[in-house]
Amino acid sequence: MTTPIRVLAVDVGTGTQDILLFESGKTIENCFRMVMPSPTMIVAERIKRATERGLPIVLTGVTMGGGPSHWAARDHALAGYPVAVTPDAARTFDDDLNAVAQMGFEIIDEAEAARRAELPAVVHVELQDFDARAIITALQAFDIDPRVDALAVAAFDHGAAPPGVSDRRFRFDFIAETVHRDPTPSAFAYLAQDTPGDLTRLLAIAQSAARYKKLSGSAPDIPLLLMDTGSAAALGSLEDALVRRQQECILCNIGNFHTLAFHLLHGKIAGIFEHHTGEISREQLEDMLLKLADGTLTNEEVFNTSGHGALNLDRSVSGSRDGHFPFLSVTGPRRELLRGSRLQPYEATPHGDMMIAGCFGLLRSLADRDPVLAAQIEPALL
């Protein structure tokens, strides 16, 4: 008899972190899951409490997602309170440490950070996207063994753009290169040892994953898969039976900060665009989706409206288009943006739970990358 396996899948967003403990042999609906505050929201709240108390903060750890954590640290400095940060943690705010210093943050080394963190009048906050201790503690509180046979984590990674290069252009150039090489959503998933060096946020997660293995008692050499959040959600939406049956479809994930849409023909990417959710209205999103479907959406059109970019593959690669608008599947915590749209979106509910669509995408990608694990993961998927 085959020994069952357990996989911890964590999809790190801006509003929430979505956690699934997959166990082979169980129906996937019976696997344990949590939807909790995102790491950047947790860090932001800790900094805000320090601001309210008027205390200096020391930020240590690794590169993580910015947004709320960055704004809270900025507001702390603007209020006149000291912000000290170690180099690895500082890259959360900008890859250029000189730019971080210009924000009013003091860059200090690890030894000095450790000294200050011991001071009673200083608030120490550790930056990390994958908090091993918190997840293990939560599982153990419900008498769940945290040991696993594989880890899979998704996060949004702009990549380390060189000085003077737009991080939006840098990210979308990377997306375009990836799609040209392999026009499938799973192309944005990597076993840890194969992760591109520019994806510094995902590489930082790998460091935190090593802590999870140690603290949970898992084997140190278990597989670790790292993936982009948007593509994880897109793959996860294909775990909805109706979506999976479509020969042509648009998969649109409307996240709290980013909106990513894939145009798929027979499972291959025919086009893609990515924008900032807060920068677009329903009408703008509808227009972009229509243009994505007919191949007329341009990279500059998206970039010039504060988005990342767009790519349409050559017709010889993408296949024929007969002028009809394809089936539109929508996921994400901001999917109400298209609710009632003239494009007649379908709100996908993979395995009955949209909020962990990214976790299902992570499982699918892990099965694609690891044939040994695939034999136990795939029977639970569509």
Side-chain angles (χ1 to χ4, degrees):
M1 179 180 292
T2 303
T3 303
I5 64 161
R6 309 168 89 233
V7 179
L8 181 69
V10 182
D11 183 16
V12 180
T14 304
T16 64
Q17 55 179 314
D18 311 319
I19 302 166
L20 172 68
L21 181 61
F22 170 80
E23 298 181 70
S24 64
K26 280 187 176 181
T27 59
I28 205 161
E29 289 80 3
N30 278 320
C31 292
F32 305 129
R33 63 201 67 191
M34 297 183 286
V35 177
M36 304 301 288
S38 69
T40 190
M41 294 293 288
I42 293 170
V43 167
E45 288 303 315
R46 290 173 180 170
I47 294 173
K48 288 176 184 177
R49 289 197 292 269
T51 307
E52 291 169 358
R53 297 168 62 196
L55 296 176
I57 59 172
V58 172
L59 308 177
T60 63
V62 295
T63 302
M64 69 174 295
S69 62
H70 184 184
W71 302 329
R74 175 203 61 193
D75 291 346
H76 192 82
L78 290 173
Y81 305 123
V83 177
V85 58
T86 57
D88 282 349
R91 292 186 178 89
T92 295
F93 311 125
D94 199 293
D95 294 314
D96 183 352
L97 294 185
N98 290 326
V100 177
Q102 291 171 8
M103 297 172 191
F105 301 169
E106 180 188 5
I107 310 296
I108 60 174
D109 62 27
E110 296 287 348
E112 176 61 13
R115 186 190 71 78
R116 294 192 195 183
E118 294 298 321
L119 299 175
V122 172
V123 174
H124 173 219
V125 181
E126 184 177 7
L127 273 56
Q128 56 184 338
D129 275 316
F130 182 54
D131 189 336
R133 192 177 301 277
I135 295 174
I136 290 170
T137 299
L139 293 173
Q140 290 177 332
F142 288 92
D143 286 338
I144 300 171
D145 185 347
R147 289 177 297 177
V148 294
D149 301 289
L151 292 166
V153 186
F156 180 95
D157 197 333
H158 269 109
V165 176
S166 160
D167 61 358
R168 290 186 291 132
R169 284 207 185 277
F170 187 79
R171 174 171 165 84
F172 203 78
D173 286 346
F174 178 83
I175 288 174
E177 291 170 7
T178 302
V179 171
H180 279 298
R181 184 175 64 251
D182 180 6
T184 62
S186 63
F188 296 93
Y190 317 93
L191 290 174
Q193 63 270 22
D194 301 324
T195 305
D198 287 330
L199 300 183
T200 51
R201 185 179 177 188
L202 292 184
L203 291 171
I205 288 173
Q207 297 179 47
S208 301
R211 181 185 295 181
Y212 185 94
K213 295 175 186 179
K214 181 177 180 180
L215 293 177
S216 68
S218 302
D221 58 347
I222 61 172
L224 168 63
L225 183 93
L226 301 168
M227 191 173 187
D228 185 79
T229 49
S231 53
L235 267 181
S237 69
L238 293 172
E239 290 300 308
D240 181 303
L242 181 59
V243 180
R244 195 168 188 82
R245 287 199 297 269
Q246 307 303 315
Q247 294 300 304
E248 179 182 11
C249 61
I250 290 179
L251 310 177
C252 183
N253 183 68
I254 309 177
N256 286 308
F257 267 42
H258 297 95
T259 293
L260 177 67
F262 289 95
H263 181 194
L264 294 189
L265 284 168
H266 308 291
K268 300 293 185 180
I269 298 171
I272 183 174
F273 78 82
E274 185 172 69
H275 214 297
H276 289 103
T277 306
E279 298 288 341
I280 53 176
S281 65
R282 171 189 286 189
E283 292 71 23
Q284 287 174 301
L285 180 53
E286 287 175 334
D287 183 61
M288 286 186 288
L289 290 169
L290 286 165
K291 290 180 177 178
L292 179 70
D294 65 21
T296 60
L297 184 64
T298 67
N299 185 61
E300 291 306 311
E301 179 179 353
V302 174
F303 185 82
N304 290 339
T305 55
S306 299
H308 287 93
L311 172 69
N312 287 286
L313 297 184
D314 185 83
R315 288 178 183 272
S316 63
V317 176
S318 62
S320 62
R321 297 167 181 161
D322 60 11
H324 78 285
F325 187 76
F327 181 93
L328 172 61
S329 167
V330 183
T331 52
R334 293 285 307 280
R335 62 182 181 174
E336 79 279 359
L337 187 61
L338 280 177
R339 194 162 289 157
S341 165
R342 60 194 171 99
L343 301 183
Q344 298 183 308
Y346 170 74
E347 296 188 359
T349 54
H351 300 289
D353 194 339
M354 185 280 296
M355 280 303 294
I356 59 167
C359 296
F360 298 138
L362 282 164
L363 283 177
R364 176 68 69 180
S365 294
L366 182 60
D368 288 345
R369 294 288 182 274
D370 192 314
V372 175
L373 294 177
Q376 297 215 54
I377 294 174
E378 288 181 343
L381 302 176
L382 294 183

